[in-house]
Amino acid sequence: MPLFRFGLHLLRKSTRVSNIVFFQNMSVTTAPYGSWKSPISSKLATESSVRFQEIHLDLKPGAETGTVFWSELRFDEGGRYVVCSLNKNETDSKDWTPKDFNARTKVHEYGGGAFFVFDGAVYFSNFSDQQMYVQKSPDSTPVAITPKDAGWRYADGSLCAKTRKIYCIREDHSLVEKKSAKEPQNTIVSIDPETQKQSVLASGCDFYSSPRFSPDGKKLAWIQWNHPNMPWDSTALFIGELSSSGDEIVSGTAKQVAGGEGVSVMQPVWTPNNDLLFISDQTGWWNLYQYSPDGKHQNLLPCEAEAGGCQWVFGRPDYTVDPVNGDSVVLKKKEELLKLDLKTKEYKRLETKFTSHDMLTYGRDGVLYYEGGSPTKFPCLMKLDTTTGQDKELRVSKSLTLDTGYFSVPENYTWKTSDDDVCYGYLYSPQNKDYQAPEGTRPPLLVKAHGGPTGYSSNTISLVIQYFTSRGFAVLNVNYRGSYGFGTAYRNKLKSKWGVYDVDDCCSGAQSMADAGRVDKNCLCIDGGSAGGYTTLACLAFKDVFKAGASHYGIGDLGALVRDTHKFESRYIDTLIAPYTEENKKIYDERSPINYVDKLNCAMAFFQGDEDKIVPPNQAEMMFKAVLAKGLPTVLIIFKGEQHGFRKAENIQKALDGEFYFFSQVFGFEPADKHIKLDIQNLKK
C-alpha cells in the first residue's frame, strides 16, 4: 500500500466542520503522485478569501458594548485592507473603509496597528498617503487629522478619554526623502484630533512600540529598543508621568521598569485599577508579569510555554484584561486559551475548537473576541462568553464546502539535526480521496522554510499546503532552530548561525524522510518566502539534498540586503550573522548563495514583486541570471505593483500554479491542471 494514502481515514464521517464536509469515498483511481486532479485550485485558495489583521472595540469608557471592529486583507480587491464592524443585534457586517481608501500603515514597512475606535468613530492610517483619518460612520467620508506630504507615518494608536489626545508611534521619513538622513526617525507622539497639533513625548531611541496610557490618564507606558536589537532581543519597558494637558512626559519621570540586555519585554497593558501587566522572557519563556514598583515583578503564570509571539507587526495582542473589574485576564499557553484570576492566580481553560488563538480582545460585557484556527478549521473571527463558555463564529476567512478526503491533517514531526540537536515541524501526508499511487512508489516531498527568519509555522489549515498534498505531494513545514514558540534558548540558536542551522534543519528533515523510505529521495524540493527564500537558496547552493527549489522574494546577496533594506531590519543581520564590517564581509560572502552558483546543480524558480523595499527585486534578477548562465532549468516571474509578500489574488494564483508546474516539469510528471503554462528556461525534455 502506498504511504500516506489513508491519512484522514479516521476522520471521514458524515458531519460538517467549518464548512468542510466529511464524506465517505466510494471509488479510487490509481495514478502517480503529483498527477492527481484536485478541486483545491489556486483560485479557490484566494477567491472570496480574507486575512484578518486586527480586532478592536470602542475605547471610550461607557461606550456601547456588543459591537466589534476588525480589519481584513481582501485578496480579490488587490490586497486592500478594509475596516469592518458587526453589532450583536445584527447578522450582517458593515464595511467602513471607502473603495478609494486602504486602512494600512507602513511603519516598520510591515505595519500593523493601523486603526482604533473611539466614541463610535474609526481612526485609521491610509496606505497611499500615510495620513491618519477619522471616520464617524460607515457611510461618511474620512477626514484627515494629520498634515499632508509631511513624510510622517502612524501606527499603534489609541485615544485617551481623560486627555482627549491620541498616543501613537510616528515614523518620520521627511529627512530621508530629502536625502539628508539615512534612516527615518521613530518617536512616540500625542495628537490632538481637534487642532491636529502633534507633540513628541519620547524620542532618541531607534524604535518604540505600545504607547499605553493608564485609565486615570496620569501615566504612559511604552516599549523601546535600539539597533541592532529586534523586539524579541533586548527591549525595555518605560513608564512616564503625563502632564495635565497630556501632551508631554513630565521631566525626570520617565524611567525603565523592566527589560534590558538579553531580555525581551512587550505588550504593556494597564488594568482598570491602574496596575500594569506585560510579557517578558526573563525566565527563558515569554510569560505574563505584573509590574511592582520594587522591581520584583510577579510572574502570573510561570510555565515553560510562550504567552506571546514575535512582534513583527503592531496591533496583535496576545493577552487581554477584563476592562470593567480588571480581575481577570485571558491569555495563551501553547495551544490552550486560559482565563486567569488576577487575585487568586487560579486559572481555567476556555474550551474552543481551535489550536491557535490570536488578537485577543476582551469586551465590557465579558465577551472575548479573537481569531481562531486549527488544522481542520480556517481562521475565524470568534466571540466567546468567558462566563458561560458559549461561542459564536462571526466571520470566516475562507468559506467553502469540500470533502475532507481532500485535506491532509498534519502530524508533529521531530528529527535529529546537526550538532546533536533536534528540530520541529509539521508533516502533511499526500491526501486525495479520489486517488491512490501505484504500489511501491513514494511521493515527492516539498519542504517549506518560513520567513523571518525569527518566525513560526503553525498547524492552522493552509490551502497553499493542501494544494500540494491533494495533488500527491508530502509537505514538511519546518520550524528550524531560531523559530519562536519553543522558548528563548531555541529562538536564540540562530544567532550568528543564519545560513547554517536553518539550512541544516531543512536538509536533515528532508533526508530523514528519504532515509525512512517515506518519500522519493529523487524528488525532494524546497520553497520559502523572504528569509525562507534565502534558506531555500542557501540549501540549493550549499547542500546536495534537493533537486529543485522555488524562492519567493528571497535573499540571494546578504551584503546587498544590508545595504538596501529598510530601517527596522537594517541591523537584524548583525545578530543573525555578524556586524557588517570589512573584517566580517568574508562571512557574508561565504553565506550568500549568489556567490556560489558554480555549485548549483538543480532547478530554481523565482517569484518577486517589483516594489519590494525589504528584499529589492535586483536580488532575484541576479540569482536568475546566474542560474540561467549555468544552463539549469529556471524561471523568473516579476509581479507589477507587489511589495514584500503578494497581496493580489491573481499574482498569488500565478505564483502557486507556477511553482507546482515548475516542479512537475523538473520531476517529469504530468500535472492534471492543463491550464498552467510557464516559460521555463533551459528545460530539457
Side-chain angles (χ1 to χ4, degrees):
M1 180 186 297
L3 294 180
F4 302 137
R5 177 61 195 92
F6 296 106
L8 279 179
H9 179 73
L10 296 178
L11 293 176
R12 205 170 302 156
K13 300 178 182 178
S14 298
T15 184
R16 178 184 297 263
V17 177
S18 188
N19 296 317
I20 302 173
V21 178
F22 287 70
F23 184 77
Q24 181 66 43
N25 181 36
M26 302 303 293
S27 62
V28 176
T29 299
T30 299
Y33 288 114
S35 67
W36 300 350
K37 185 174 181 61
S38 170
I40 303 176
S41 65
S42 63
K43 186 177 181 181
L44 187 68
T46 57
E47 193 175 52
S48 301
S49 179
V50 301
R51 182 184 299 160
F52 301 120
Q53 300 297 311
E54 303 175 45
I55 300 174
H56 292 285
L57 300 174
D58 197 325
L59 295 172
K60 184 180 180 181
E64 178 190 6
T65 60
T67 299
V68 59
F69 296 78
W70 70 91
S71 61
E72 54 187 45
L73 185 163
R74 295 181 176 174
F75 296 103
D76 56 2
E77 293 187 26
R80 193 169 73 97
Y81 288 42
V82 178
V83 176
C84 310
S85 70
L86 179 66
N87 185 273
K88 63 182 179 181
N89 298 319
E90 300 172 343
T91 56
D92 297 325
S93 63
K94 297 178 180 177
D95 285 2
W96 281 66
T97 311
K99 292 291 185 182
D100 52 344
F101 284 82
N102 184 353
R104 177 182 165 202
T105 178
K106 295 196 290 185
V107 174
H108 292 178
E109 298 300 333
Y110 291 108
F115 87 98
F116 62 91
V117 185
F118 186 86
D119 198 14
V122 169
Y123 295 76
F124 70 96
S125 289
N126 184 45
F127 183 71
S128 61
D129 55 23
Q130 288 299 292
Q131 288 179 264
M132 187 183 293
Y133 288 78
V134 60
Q135 186 179 4
K136 297 188 176 181
S137 67
D139 56 357
S140 66
T141 301
V143 177
I145 58 172
T146 60
K148 185 179 180 181
D149 299 326
W152 293 344
R153 304 174 181 180
Y154 308 91
D156 210 10
S158 55
L159 199 156
C160 177
K162 298 290 185 180
T163 65
R164 306 299 297 183
K165 301 293 192 303
I166 295 169
Y167 298 97
C168 65
I169 306 301
R170 186 179 75 186
E171 191 171 80
D172 184 355
H173 288 252
S174 60
L175 296 180
V176 177
E177 293 169 356
K178 296 175 183 177
K179 301 188 183 302
S180 56
K182 292 183 178 180
E183 292 185 334
Q185 182 184 25
N186 293 68
T187 56
I188 295 175
V189 299
S190 67
I191 303 174
D192 188 318
E194 299 299 327
T195 67
Q196 300 188 18
K197 176 187 175 183
Q198 298 190 18
S199 302
V200 175
L201 278 71
S203 63
C205 275
D206 293 317
F207 301 100
Y208 295 90
S209 73
S210 311
R212 301 290 182 261
F213 51 82
S214 57
D216 60 12
K218 295 180 179 180
K219 295 180 179 179
L220 189 74
W222 68 88
I223 303 294
Q224 64 183 49
W225 68 98
N226 285 309
H227 287 312
N229 294 300
M230 298 297 285
W232 46 87
D233 294 323
S234 300
T235 60
L237 170 61
F238 273 71
I239 298 177
E241 294 181 11
L242 287 169
S243 63
S244 58
S245 61
D247 55 10
E248 66 177 342
I249 299 294
V250 177
S251 178
T253 64
K255 62 179 181 178
Q256 180 179 335
V257 298
E261 187 61 33
V263 178
S264 168
V265 290
M266 60 184 179
Q267 299 186 34
V269 173
W270 295 94
T271 73
N273 304 317
N274 296 298
D275 292 323
L276 184 64
L277 308 182
F278 61 93
I279 292 175
S280 171
D281 71 345
Q282 66 187 57
T283 64
W285 298 85
W286 272 318
N287 285 182
L288 183 63
Y289 288 79
Q290 182 168 338
Y291 163 74
S292 175
D294 62 6
K296 298 179 181 179
H297 312 309
Q298 184 179 10
N299 189 335
L300 297 175
L301 186 64
C303 58
E304 292 188 352
E306 307 277 44
C310 285
Q311 303 294 282
W312 279 101
V313 297
F314 302 102
R316 297 179 69 90
D318 290 311
Y319 72 99
T320 181
V321 178
D322 178 353
V324 177
N325 301 315
D327 56 2
S328 65
V329 59
V330 176
L331 72 161
K332 301 185 290 186
K333 180 185 177 185
K334 293 184 178 179
E335 296 183 350
E336 296 181 321
L337 192 63
L338 307 179
K339 183 178 180 181
L340 174 69
D341 188 307
L342 291 176
K343 294 179 180 178
T344 66
K345 305 304 182 289
E346 295 179 349
Y347 67 89
K348 69 173 183 178
R349 179 178 178 179
L350 298 175
E351 298 295 334
T352 73
K353 311 177 186 72
F354 306 101
T355 56
S356 67
H357 308 85
D358 295 302
M359 296 181 283
L360 309 182
T361 307
Y362 215 145
R364 280 184 288 273
D365 51 1
V367 170
L368 175 75
Y369 298 91
Y370 67 96
E371 179 194 54
S374 80
T376 58
K377 293 184 72 66
F378 294 104
C380 303
L381 178 63
M382 299 293 299
K383 64 180 295 186
L384 171 68
D385 189 311
T386 59
T387 301
T388 66
Q390 183 178 2
D391 64 354
K392 181 180 181 181
E393 182 182 291
L394 302 180
R395 178 151 166 74
V396 64
S397 63
K398 182 71 181 178
S399 181
L400 76 162
T401 300
L402 271 181
D403 189 325
T404 52
Y406 297 112
F407 287 85
S408 177
V409 175
E411 61 178 274
N412 290 313
Y413 189 68
T414 304
W415 63 96
K416 291 183 178 179
T417 187
S418 61
D419 292 342
D420 197 29
D421 214 337
V422 296
C423 185
Y424 308 98
Y426 293 108
L427 175 60
Y428 295 79
S429 309
Q431 180 63 42
N432 186 316
K433 74 182 185 67
D434 301 325
Y435 291 90
Q436 64 180 4
E439 286 287 337
T441 63
R442 297 292 181 264
L445 172 68
L446 172 62
V447 170
K448 297 189 74 67
H450 63 64
T454 315
Y456 173 74
S457 293
S458 77
N459 62 6
T460 296
I461 189 170
S462 162
L463 282 183
V464 171
I465 290 177
Q466 304 299 332
Y467 176 100
F468 280 93
T469 56
S470 63
R471 285 166 172 76
F473 271 68
V475 174
L476 180 60
N477 213 1
V478 179
N479 279 311
Y480 49 76
R481 284 169 288 181
S483 304
Y484 69 83
F486 305 91
T488 306
Y490 193 83
R491 190 173 74 245
N492 286 341
K493 285 184 178 183
L494 202 61
K495 289 189 174 181
S496 80
K497 296 292 186 179
W498 192 32
V500 179
Y501 279 171
D502 52 321
V503 172
D504 288 348
D505 294 352
C506 288
C507 290
S508 61
Q511 197 65 59
S512 72
M513 293 284 293
D515 291 345
R518 302 184 69 176
V519 297
D520 187 339
K521 65 180 180 180
N522 295 312
C523 294
L524 306 179
C525 55
I526 183 171
D527 76 3
S530 190
Y534 165 71
T535 299
T536 295
L537 297 174
C539 285
L540 301 177
F542 304 138
K543 302 287 185 176
D544 191 23
V545 173
F546 299 100
K547 305 303 180 183
S551 169
H552 298 254
Y553 40 93
I555 303 154
D557 185 341
L558 293 172
L561 175 69
V562 173
R563 294 187 294 271
D564 295 340
T565 198
H566 59 113
K567 178 184 178 181
F568 183 60
E569 292 183 290
S570 64
R571 300 285 301 281
Y572 183 21
I573 205 166
D574 283 20
T575 57
L576 293 172
I577 296 180
Y580 190 65
T581 63
E582 193 63 35
E583 181 181 355
N584 292 329
K585 187 175 183 296
K586 181 181 178 181
I587 303 175
Y588 281 74
D589 291 341
E590 289 175 345
R591 297 193 197 174
S592 294
I594 188 69
N595 297 326
Y596 291 87
V597 292
D598 58 309
K599 293 186 177 182
L600 291 170
N601 60 1
C602 61
M604 301 173 66
F606 302 88
F607 302 90
Q608 178 71 41
D610 71 337
E611 295 181 4
D612 195 333
K613 300 299 184 184
I614 295 170
V615 180
N618 66 325
Q619 296 222 6
E621 293 165 352
M622 287 190 295
M623 282 295 294
F624 167 72
K625 291 177 181 177
V627 178
L628 183 66
K630 191 84 184 293
L632 297 167
T634 188
V635 66
L636 169 64
I637 304 296
I638 299 289
F639 295 118
K640 298 288 185 183
E642 289 283 17
Q643 294 92 41
H644 195 66
F646 309 142
R647 291 174 171 82
K648 298 177 181 178
E650 62 271 21
N651 294 336
I652 297 172
Q653 293 167 19
K654 187 172 183 179
L656 181 55
D657 285 336
E659 178 180 329
F660 179 79
Y661 180 79
F662 182 78
F663 290 151
S664 75
Q665 298 307 290
V666 171
F667 292 147
F669 57 79
E670 188 64 33
D673 304 277
K674 304 300 183 183
H675 68 283
I676 307 172
K677 300 296 178 184
L678 207 63
D679 186 17
I680 303 174
Q681 303 294 307
N682 297 330
L683 183 65
K684 297 176 182 179
K685 295 285 188 178

